[in-house]
Amino acid sequence: MKMGKVVEIRCSVKKGSPKKKLKVANFIQGFGLEGDLHAGKDGRQVSFMGIETFRVIQKSEVKGYCTNKFVENITTENIELWNLTVGTELKIGETIMRVTKVGKECFRGCPVREQEGSCIMLNQVVFANVLQGGKIKIGDSIKILKPSEVFA
């Protein structure tokens, strides 16, 4: 299996404003991305979406709210987020994160869900909690840990 990598990091400073792109970010154990509006929400401290998923959304003829309303904290590449399960642990930069939720509910009234009956966001967005804090930078690898490797 190819190792995934971080291609973008984004932080929501305040509701309604565009997410700020970061080259390096600090993730706080039990809280999430430092300075992020959504940090601290149990079970959804950090959000992930693959660049591959973003490309599928961009090519879709039916545009939904996901194309301009949802922006993940970490954009990944070469990791099949849709194959991860709740409890999977990831080593990213100095951090260790545990997947807490796979999938994002559609925004109410989303045209994609109404016209297509389903949405890629339902299984290709992942949320995680920060088990071990630290820095993550663009280009860092994403490694899926076996349970015996956590905190080794």
Side-chain angles (χ1 to χ4, degrees):
M1 178 168 75
K2 288 189 224 176
M3 186 147 334
K5 77 173 187 175
V6 174
V7 293
E8 278 191 348
I9 305 168
R10 296 183 189 177
C11 180
S12 281
V13 180
K14 86 181 190 186
K15 193 168 178 105
S17 65
K19 284 200 177 194
K20 180 179 172 185
K21 289 185 181 184
L22 305 170
K23 291 182 180 181
V24 178
N26 188 43
F27 290 80
I28 301 167
Q29 180 179 341
F31 184 73
L33 174 56
E34 183 176 27
D36 189 71
L37 172 68
H38 302 291
K41 294 187 177 175
D42 194 35
R44 294 179 28 154
Q45 294 172 359
V46 181
S47 59
F48 297 82
M49 186 167 77
I51 192 78
E52 301 86 353
T53 301
F54 178 76
R55 289 177 184 141
V56 169
I57 290 170
Q58 290 302 100
K59 286 180 184 177
S60 174
E61 291 182 19
V62 181
K63 297 298 179 202
Y65 299 135
C66 49
T67 57
N68 58 16
K69 228 178 166 182
F70 176 80
V71 181
E72 66 284 353
N73 295 121
I74 297 178
T75 307
T76 66
E77 185 174 48
N78 294 330
I79 185 167
E80 296 174 343
L81 296 173
W82 57 90
N83 281 332
L84 299 180
T85 57
V86 170
T88 300
E89 293 178 352
L90 307 169
K91 171 83 172 128
I92 311 168
E94 299 172 351
T95 74
I96 295 176
M97 300 199 194
R98 178 179 292 140
V99 173
T100 55
K101 185 173 193 267
V102 177
K104 162 127 184 36
E105 293 301 315
C106 284
F107 294 100
R108 189 173 306 162
C110 179
V112 172
R113 185 82 181 263
E114 290 176 4
Q115 291 179 37
E116 304 288 324
S118 187
C119 176
I120 199 168
M121 303 281 283
L122 294 172
N123 68 355
Q124 293 193 26
V125 170
V126 170
F127 295 92
N129 282 355
V130 181
L131 296 182
Q132 176 180 302
K135 303 263 189 251
I136 294 177
K137 64 185 181 311
I138 292 174
D140 276 351
S141 62
I142 302 171
K143 180 181 179 189
I144 298 172
L145 298 178
K146 295 177 188 141
S148 61
E149 292 177 299
V150 179
F151 299 110

